[in-house]
Structures are given as C-alpha cells and as structure tokens.
C-alpha cells in the first residue's frame, strides 16, 4: 500500500523560504516519477516540479524556475522541494505525487499521469 505524507508547510512572509518534505512508504523499488503540485480553492491542481527518481530531470513550471528546487533522497524514500523567495501568489495547498510509469514531457505536469497523492500541506505567504 503506497502512502505519501507531506510536511513542512506553514506561514511565511514574502521573500521567505520553506522546505517541504514528502515521505513515501510502500513504494517497493520506488516510483519512476515524483512531483510536486499545488492547488488553490476553486482552481485546478497545477504542476510545479517533477523529476525522474532514476536520475533524470528535474523539470520546473516556468513560474517557479529559479526559486524552487526539487530533490529526492532515494535511501530515505523522501521527496523535497526547497522554495525560496516566496510570493503571496505561491499561497496554496502543496501536494506530493508519484507515478508508476515513465512520463514524457507532455505528461510531466498532468494530474492524471500520477497514480498516488499525499493529503497536501498548506503554505501561506503574506505580503
């Protein structure tokens, strides 16, 4: 039974930083692709960053390039995202996701391409 559990969310002022973690269990030899998404009320979930756990990527959405960095500790089965220079527009619930499949560029940020999701962790950035 695969389980993803996010942590590290909270409230920060604009310009601040947060590091989110996603602890994975029940993944066996691991999932080929893992990613971070975020969602605000009334809006669709959007992809932020993804990587191939075998060593490829990472890939970022344009609106976080240069500010966010995704990483993966295979030994700890944990996915991270370091978020710097946060903006009020980054306020959202952040989700970790894992795919059983090898993804192509057109699927990197597609919600339906991911098989497993965490419950999310909230991030609030105040101005």
């Amino acid at each position: 039974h695969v389980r993803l559990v996010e942590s590290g969310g909270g409230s920060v002022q604009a310009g601040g930083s947060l590091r989110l973690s996603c602890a994975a269990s029940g993944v066996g030899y691991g999932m080929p692709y893992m990613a971070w998404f975020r969602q605000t009320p009334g809006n669709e979930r959007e992809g932020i960053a993804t990587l191939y756990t075998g060593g490829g990527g990472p890939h970022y959405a344009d609106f976080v390039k240069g500010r966010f960095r995704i990483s993966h500790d295979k030994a700890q089965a944990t996915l991270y995202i370091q978020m710097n220079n946060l903006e009020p527009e980054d306020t959202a619930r952040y989700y970790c996701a894992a795919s059983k499949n090898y993804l192509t560029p057109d699927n990197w940020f597609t919600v339906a391409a991911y098989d497993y999701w965490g419950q999310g962790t909230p991030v609030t950035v105040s101005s």
Side-chain angles (χ1 to χ4, degrees):
H1 178 66
V2 175
R3 188 172 182 227
L4 304 175
V5 180
E6 302 95 335
S7 61
S11 297
V12 295
Q13 290 191 324
S17 299
L18 281 174
R19 187 192 194 206
L20 306 183
S21 301
C22 171
S25 59
V27 294
Y29 290 105
M31 298 287 172
Y33 272 85
M34 296 189 74
W36 287 97
F37 285 71
R38 70 186 186 187
Q39 188 171 25
T40 54
N43 293 308
E44 294 186 353
R45 199 166 291 190
E46 61 180 0
I48 303 168
T50 187
L51 57 71
Y52 170 53
T53 59
H59 312 286
Y60 297 94
D62 287 343
F63 53 84
V64 301
K65 278 182 182 176
R67 299 190 299 126
F68 292 10
R69 187 173 71 86
I70 188 174
S71 60
H72 180 245
D73 185 330
K74 198 161 191 175
Q76 298 296 323
T78 301
L79 184 73
Y80 301 96
I81 189 161
Q82 176 67 43
M83 306 188 296
N84 299 323
N85 195 21
L86 284 161
E87 304 167 350
E89 293 73 23
D90 295 317
T91 295
R93 192 167 188 89
Y94 284 70
Y95 296 89
C96 170
S99 174
K100 298 182 293 187
N101 302 307
Y102 295 88
L103 302 181
T104 56
D106 57 337
N107 282 330
W108 286 340
F109 299 131
T110 301
V111 170
Y114 292 84
D115 304 285
Y116 304 100
W117 294 85
Q119 81 291 348
T121 185
V123 171
T124 302
V125 185
S126 57
S127 58

